[in-house]
Amino acid sequence: MNNKKKWNIKTATKIFHQPFFDLMFKAQKTHRRNFKPNYMQVSVLLSIKTGLCPEDCKYCSQSAKYNTGLSNEKLINLDKVINAAKKAKKTGATRFCMGAAWKNPKDRDMPLLESMIKHVKDLGLETCMTLGMLNDHQVNRLANAGLDFYNHNLDTSPEYYKNIVTTRSYNDRLVTIEKIRNSGIKVCSGGILGLGETIKDRISLLVQLSNLSKHPESVPINMLVKIKGTPMENNTKVSSFDFIRIIALSRIMMPNSFIRLSAGREYMNDQMQALCFMAGANSVFYGCKLLTTSNPSMDRDIRLFKKLNLNTKNISDIVNEKMSNQMYYNAAL
Ligand code: SAM
Ligand code: DTB
Ligand code: SF4
């Protein structure tokens, strides 16, 4: 990851527009050189503080600027987090991601956040948090508590960003990502497709991500989930093939990163998801809820993983022919 190639829009655009099967072949070859081809990393997501966010991200159900009908919730207590993490562990997830609708955490919240990290790690899960912008002191505290990953997305190109968020700048995001990188916490950073951006903006986002000081270990690619009440509620749907091409290009540009097929999977059929996996996506959020919106049910995902013979680290231990759906659900609940 350190001897990485420097990417520019011209070269990346040429690859993006290759004939579809040539692009898929190149992405699959890159994937097989760097990863086990039939392995899927699974993370479970939990919202630890919901709604009333002071930022104005035009796609988000949680911004206080839009009337989305969301029920807001203050920072939840430790027991709720531990219980959710135990359930996640039972279902075979290997990483537990905790998200808060904040511009930045307050110092008074840090002790609770640190306890959440410690307790979740004690269950044998990797930890990830996404809490907004961080100062140096906060990054160090999270690193010392043992946080494994921090999610902080660039979302779109630097050129298009001001059309999506006005309460912070692209540079603010880059600064926080660099702080995380320097602290030793692994970086999770990606974007969303469907914000009204052009293909060039999507490629420019990947150029930004691939030219960070080190590639993010994890790159979530979200498909916009249209939220009623936000300025993006009537956005045009992204073409499926353009979406798959962006996954393939992400794999080629960041060959060692886990590419996560993130929000929007609920609206993708099995064939679309399989093409995304073939293009190099090797990570998903698992469980019927993302932060505030829904995700495919676990049994739908298990059926899909079985059809594709995909292994997750633990799921193959609990999902086998002898286990009835009811037993599986009991384990998952
Ligand atoms: N508040 C923190 C922040 O913005 O960094 C963390 C949570 S935020 C919900 C994490 C990411 O989820 C966003 O950067 C965005 O990429 C994605 N996201 C949020 N709402 C979405 C939506 N409606 N559709 C698709 N992705 C979404
Ligand atoms: C990311 O890129 N996608 C996740 C995670 N990082 C935190 C969040 C998706 C949120 C989808 C909308 C919702 O459920 O509110
Ligand atoms: Fe707040 Fe994050 Fe939603 Fe933006 S994406 S409004 S920062 S919760």
Side-chain angles (χ1 to χ4, degrees):
M1 260 188 246
N2 282 327
N3 300 325
K4 62 194 177 62
K5 177 176 166 151
K6 178 112 179 107
W7 284 95
N8 60 52
I9 294 195
K10 198 170 161 208
T11 326
T13 305
K14 219 169 146 191
I15 297 177
F16 179 88
H17 287 293
Q18 278 185 330
F20 185 75
F21 292 124
D22 292 350
L23 174 64
M24 291 295 274
F25 184 57
K26 194 176 167 67
Q28 184 57 209
K29 268 196 304 185
T30 309
H31 191 64
R32 283 170 182 263
R33 266 199 300 272
N34 295 288
F35 289 98
K36 290 188 199 161
N38 302 304
Y39 172 73
M40 187 61 52
Q41 190 276 326
V42 289
S43 299
V44 164
L45 195 52
L46 175 72
S47 182
I48 57 170
K49 186 265 169 184
T50 308
L52 290 181
C53 183
E55 303 277 30
D56 67 352
C57 310
K58 288 199 173 64
Y59 49 78
C60 189
S61 60
Q62 306 200 67
S63 168
K65 303 275 191 298
Y66 319 121
N67 193 355
T68 63
L70 188 70
S71 2
N72 307 309
E73 198 174 358
K74 287 197 281 213
L75 185 59
I76 62 176
N77 66 36
L78 187 58
D79 282 348
K80 280 191 181 167
V81 172
I82 296 174
N83 285 336
K86 281 183 179 162
K87 280 183 200 162
K89 172 90 183 168
K90 273 193 196 156
T91 65
T94 55
R95 190 176 309 156
F96 190 68
C97 307
M98 296 161 267
W102 282 326
K103 187 178 184 68
N104 49 263
K106 304 259 184 320
D107 283 344
R108 66 164 187 261
D109 299 319
M110 294 308 292
L112 181 51
L113 296 170
E114 288 163 331
S115 303
M116 290 175 181
I117 295 167
K118 287 186 181 127
H119 281 85
V120 174
K121 279 180 83 82
D122 283 349
L123 297 171
L125 287 162
E126 291 178 318
T127 49
C128 177
M129 281 186 163
T130 177
L131 314 168
M133 207 181 297
L134 298 175
N135 63 35
D136 290 335
H137 181 61
Q138 292 169 331
V139 177
N140 289 334
R141 286 187 69 159
L142 295 174
N144 290 335
L147 184 66
D148 298 291
F149 289 82
Y150 195 83
N151 169 241
H152 204 65
N153 290 345
L154 289 176
D155 278 342
T156 189
S157 68
E159 301 77 30
Y160 195 61
Y161 199 70
K162 56 186 176 310
N163 298 300
I164 302 304
V165 189
T166 65
T167 49
R168 60 175 186 243
S169 70
Y170 210 74
N171 197 51
D172 291 335
R173 294 301 262 191
L174 291 170
V175 168
T176 298
I177 291 172
E178 214 39 38
K179 281 185 184 151
I180 298 157
R181 175 56 76 208
N182 294 334
S183 74
I185 299 172
K186 292 189 261 300
V187 173
C188 171
S189 186
I192 317 187
L193 272 57
L195 305 174
E197 75 285 344
T198 60
I199 287 175
K200 190 173 174 195
D201 288 313
R202 293 172 193 160
I203 295 172
S204 170
L205 162 71
L206 298 188
V207 168
Q208 288 290 323
L209 291 168
S210 65
N211 288 337
L212 290 170
S213 60
K214 193 174 169 193
H215 291 166
E217 281 80 0
S218 166
V219 178
I221 304 291
N222 297 279
M223 172 85 94
L224 176 73
V225 178
K226 295 182 205 173
I227 309 279
K228 211 161 180 282
T230 65
M232 308 246 137
E233 66 173 307
N234 295 317
N235 276 20
T236 310
K237 187 183 175 295
V238 178
S239 128
S240 297
F241 287 112
D242 284 352
F243 188 89
I244 299 162
R245 280 176 183 271
I246 283 293
I247 299 271
L249 189 59
S250 309
R251 165 53 61 232
I252 293 164
M253 290 171 74
M254 293 170 277
N256 303 106
S257 306
F258 278 84
I259 307 295
R260 183 176 299 139
L261 183 57
S262 297
R265 265 196 325 117
E266 205 192 359
Y267 305 101
M268 296 177 194
N269 64 22
D270 287 359
Q271 292 80 351
M272 165 75 179
Q273 291 189 61
L275 279 173
C276 290
F277 299 152
M278 197 166 170
N282 56 350
S283 170
V284 290
F285 283 118
Y286 181 60
C288 57
K289 199 163 176 207
L290 291 166
L291 290 172
T292 66
T293 65
S294 52
N295 201 35
S297 69
M298 282 188 193
D299 82 332
R300 181 180 162 199
D301 274 348
I302 288 164
R303 270 187 271 124
L304 175 61
F305 295 164
K306 280 178 101 174
K307 278 188 237 176
L308 301 176
N309 309 92
L310 285 174
N311 297 311
T312 64
K313 204 165 167 196
N314 300 319
I315 217 161
S316 52
D317 299 340
I318 56 165
V319 182
N320 59 43
E321 297 305 330
K322 289 186 203 124
M323 197 163 181
S324 69
N325 260 355
Q326 192 54 52
M327 278 166 78
Y328 174 75
Y329 273 118
N330 290 344
L333 287 170

